[in-house]
Amino acid sequence: MIAAIYARKSTEQSGVADEQKSVTRQIEHARAYATRKGWIVADEYVYIDDGISGAEFTNRPGFIRLMNALRPRPGFQVLVMSEESRLGREAIETAYALKQLVSAGVRVFFYLEDRERTLNSPIEKAMLSLQTMADEMEREKARQRTYDAMQRKARAGHVTGGACFGYRAIEIVGTDGRRSHVERELDPTAADVIRRIFRLSAEGHGIKAIAKQLNAAGAPSPRAQGGRSNSWAPSSVREVLFRPLYRGEIVWNRTRKRDSWGRKHQTDRPVADWIRLPAPALRIVSDDEWAAAHARIDGARRLYLKGTAGQAFGRPALGNPSKYLLTNLALCGCCGGPLRVRTRRHGVGRKHFYGCGGYHERGRTVCANAADVPMTDADDIVLEALLDDVLTPDVLEDAVDEALQLLQDDQAGERVTQIDRALATVQQQRARLVEAIATGGQLSGLLEALSTRETRAGQLEAERATLCAQRPVSAGEAGRVRDGLLALAGSWRRVLAEDPTHARPIVSSLLIGRVTFTPMPQTKRWELRGQGTLAGLFVGEIFPSVWRPQRDSQH
């Protein structure tokens, strides 16, 4: 049998060699366990989540890949983990995940206890509920212990988080030679930049203008995260202007990192729960500098209020669906940053463009691409490329036919027939043994033989259930499925060609990653690069996740 492995650890082990990580040891032990059982572990079925809480389910890449591998049929028959809590530490979600695994014909084993988790009786389900409840309670206790430790550090004025621009972290060693805690001390160079930001803000400069000035002067900036450019952005300038630590006040416990389900969802805490401590040694700006900058910010904010209700106009709330086709789907080919929607006067009205966010928000020291792409031209070329290179009738028919051919390949049918014959033989042997016991045969030997037959029958039934779950598409079904998919694809073509305002979800599904726009020197033209796939639309309907029909699009 083919075995899969899942390993997870909540705390990210940064600075630790791969061979020393907990997830690495989990995989090694799971492989050894599978070998003892006579199972084969395929590398493509090893799933890892390192540094992710067991309460997270939607933002866990390894777990999502594992669950996606169950459809339309799993390529493995067994899943090995160290213990139940690796799958999750939230009772409802963990139980549902186990149900999906078992329903797909996958047997779940925990190597620490050499135990299989089945859900074939009320007792098994009750035991599962108790175990997942205990795992969730342990997660809550760990959260409380961490919170109490951080609260003690905050009240003592010690560092409770990561690096903060403007300060250096100093490790304090205790009498036992071990690190006691971490304190902050001023970084004079960074402190000068912070004072400059407050001074510029008080003089009337906006956060975008301040970011451009700092980048043009090569001023030190906070450490970039997520592969972003190591430079000042308007958001980081705003963060500086609103951080109370710079005026000598430590404020802790302002937000809650996770919700009641344990998922990452940052929310504000009540002001009464905040811990405020004076820290004059950490002050960078004076009260007058702080007040002058915020008086200018408050004055600018009032200009953006209308009517008596005080409703702000401008950008919509984050999370609203974009009304522009390529928002968050297009990148600058020069710096790799996102293209933002811009408008400027054109004739008697205003015209929309896609422009490099790095250039317009951070300045030409970050990106020199000042060429804005007319929105209508950019949208048209992307739609045209998808219609001509990805959603063509020939490509659609070839893709559907190839996928259905894969699903019609009945490799499991012959094995099911063999299992049925083996099951019939075992059942006959079992009936003869029961009859021998009833007639007064040698009880110990007969019971042992009967137990062996019962175990064998269970193994065969489990394998048969797995294979039946992998039932391929029949010849009769194939025609119906093919017609349905081609009709669905035809509707996508009509939406792209005739209704661009509703095309964004389809474009997002058809693109692999994002498209890049690069200006061509000495011309008013741009080079567009992107890659399209049918998998994003078809995989949810019928196609197996391992199959990805793709076409390159380059203009």
Side-chain angles (χ1 to χ4, degrees):
M1 287 195 295
I2 304 299
I5 294 174
Y6 179 69
R8 183 191 62 81
K9 190 178 187 301
S10 297
T11 305
E12 185 175 2
Q13 296 171 290
S14 57
V16 178
D18 288 343
E19 62 271 13
Q20 298 297 322
K21 288 187 176 181
S22 173
V23 290
T24 304
R25 293 196 297 273
Q26 289 180 41
I27 294 171
E28 290 176 354
H29 295 164
R31 285 186 183 275
Y33 180 81
T35 301
R36 291 198 302 271
K37 293 288 187 178
W39 303 329
I40 299 173
V41 177
D43 291 339
E44 62 266 30
Y45 298 137
V46 176
Y47 306 98
I48 302 172
D49 283 314
D50 190 12
I52 302 180
S53 169
E56 290 284 351
F57 287 85
T58 57
N59 297 321
R60 224 194 302 169
F63 173 79
I64 292 173
R65 286 181 53 236
L66 168 64
M67 303 311 291
N68 285 341
L70 302 180
R71 297 188 299 269
R73 55 179 181 267
F76 49 88
Q77 294 77 48
V78 176
L79 175 65
V80 181
M81 294 179 287
S82 63
E83 56 186 341
E84 215 141 29
S85 63
R86 297 307 88 199
L87 192 61
R89 285 190 182 273
E90 200 286 315
I92 296 176
E93 293 280 6
T94 303
Y96 180 62
L98 280 168
K99 177 186 176 183
Q100 289 180 286
L101 288 163
V102 174
S103 299
V106 177
R107 301 174 66 186
V108 182
F109 286 83
F110 308 119
Y111 66 75
L112 288 178
E113 305 173 49
D114 190 16
R115 174 174 59 88
E116 179 181 4
R117 167 62 71 197
T118 61
L119 301 175
N120 51 14
S121 71
I123 295 297
E124 282 286 341
K125 295 176 182 178
M127 293 299 294
L128 171 63
S129 299
L130 292 172
Q131 183 62 54
T132 53
M133 181 182 69
D135 292 337
E136 184 171 347
M137 290 177 64
E138 176 57 32
R139 173 177 60 82
E140 179 61 21
K141 290 179 180 178
R143 185 198 65 79
Q144 292 173 352
R145 290 193 294 268
T146 301
Y147 181 86
D148 290 342
M150 293 297 103
Q151 187 181 53
R152 289 195 301 271
K153 289 184 178 182
R155 291 190 182 279
H158 300 160
V159 176
T160 58
C164 179
F165 183 74
Y167 305 94
R168 289 190 289 258
I170 305 298
E171 292 188 359
I172 306 300
V173 179
T175 56
D176 58 356
R178 301 172 61 184
R179 189 180 78 171
S180 169
H181 60 276
V182 178
E183 296 181 356
R184 289 192 174 106
E185 71 172 12
L186 289 177
D187 179 348
T189 303
D192 288 341
V193 177
I194 291 170
R195 295 188 190 98
R196 181 180 179 183
I197 290 174
F198 276 86
R199 185 171 63 254
L200 290 171
S201 178
E203 292 173 356
H205 296 275
I207 57 176
K208 187 181 296 186
I210 295 174
K212 290 183 178 181
Q213 288 192 41
L214 294 177
N215 290 329
S221 63
R223 183 177 59 188
Q225 297 180 355
R228 298 183 181 92
S229 160
N230 192 25
S231 58
W232 284 96
S235 58
S236 51
V237 172
R238 186 185 187 282
E239 183 65 25
V240 167
L241 291 169
F242 284 87
R243 188 181 291 274
L245 185 59
Y246 295 141
R247 63 175 179 179
E249 182 185 27
I250 296 175
V251 180
W252 184 79
N253 206 38
R254 294 176 61 179
T255 60
R256 180 185 179 94
K257 183 179 179 180
R258 298 182 181 273
D259 60 17
S260 58
W261 295 90
R263 300 170 301 186
K264 279 189 177 181
H265 181 66
Q266 190 158 326
T267 55
D268 293 333
R269 292 183 184 270
V271 177
D273 294 344
W274 295 7
I275 294 178
R276 296 178 180 269
L277 296 170
L282 301 179
R283 178 188 287 272
I284 293 179
V285 298
S286 66
D287 289 338
D288 290 341
E289 290 173 315
W290 179 280
H294 280 262
R296 205 282 309 169
I297 293 172
D298 292 341
R301 183 183 293 117
R302 286 191 291 271
L303 296 176
Y304 287 91
L305 298 178
K306 62 178 182 179
T308 57
Q311 180 182 4
F313 65 86
R315 291 182 59 187
L318 292 178
N320 285 3
S322 174
K323 60 182 179 180
Y324 304 114
L325 182 68
L326 299 181
T327 304
N328 296 326
L329 297 177
L331 300 177
C332 170
C334 298
C335 70
L339 296 187
R340 308 294 191 193
V341 176
R342 300 177 52 78
T343 63
R344 61 172 178 260
R345 187 172 299 281
H346 184 78
V348 296
R350 300 189 68 84
K351 188 173 181 181
H352 289 76
F353 296 83
Y354 294 113
C356 175
Y359 172 82
H360 290 289
E361 296 177 4
R362 305 192 183 198
R364 63 174 58 253
T365 56
V366 174
C367 182
N369 181 12
D372 294 341
V373 188
M375 179 180 290
T376 54
D377 295 343
D379 292 350
D380 288 347
I381 194 64
V382 170
L383 294 176
E384 182 181 343
L386 291 174
L387 287 169
D388 291 347
D389 295 342
V390 180
L391 282 179
T392 64
D394 291 342
V395 171
L396 289 170
E397 290 183 7
D398 291 345
V400 171
D401 290 342
E402 184 178 344
L404 290 177
Q405 184 177 357
L406 290 174
L407 296 177
Q408 285 182 278
D409 188 9
D410 190 1
Q411 299 175 347
E414 184 178 350
R415 178 56 183 160
V416 170
T417 302
Q418 296 174 354
I419 291 175
D420 288 339
R421 288 198 294 264
L423 271 174
T425 301
V426 171
Q427 290 168 357
Q428 291 174 358
Q429 294 172 349
R430 188 166 51 183
R432 287 197 292 269
L433 288 169
V434 171
E435 184 179 354
I437 292 172
T439 57
Q442 189 176 1
L443 191 58
S444 59
L446 290 172
L447 287 176
E448 182 178 355
L450 181 60
S451 177
T452 302
R453 299 305 187 280
E454 292 283 357
T455 301
R456 177 58 177 161
Q459 294 172 344
L460 290 171
E461 288 172 352
E463 186 178 357
R464 188 182 191 283
T466 300
L467 293 172
C468 288
Q470 301 174 2
R471 181 184 64 84
V473 176
S474 66
E477 292 174 311
R480 177 183 56 80
V481 172
R482 184 180 189 276
D483 293 342
L485 289 177
L486 289 177
L488 186 61
S491 69
W492 300 330
R493 282 187 58 86
R494 287 192 296 274
V495 171
L496 292 181
E498 302 171 7
D499 190 12
T501 58
H502 294 91
R504 179 176 165 81
I506 298 177
V507 172
S508 178
S509 298
L510 288 173
L511 289 175
I512 300 176
R514 302 180 184 182
V515 293
T516 61
F517 288 86
T518 307
M520 301 176 68
Q522 285 81 44
T523 69
K524 292 185 178 181
R525 303 179 65 185
W526 291 264
E527 180 185 56
L528 167 65
R529 288 181 178 269
Q531 194 176 36
T533 176
L534 297 175
L537 293 173
F538 279 161
V539 70
E541 302 293 331
I542 191 67
F543 288 175
S545 59
V546 297
W547 186 77
R548 291 289 188 272
Q550 299 179 0
R551 290 292 186 276
D552 289 334
S553 175
Q554 179 176 329
H555 295 277

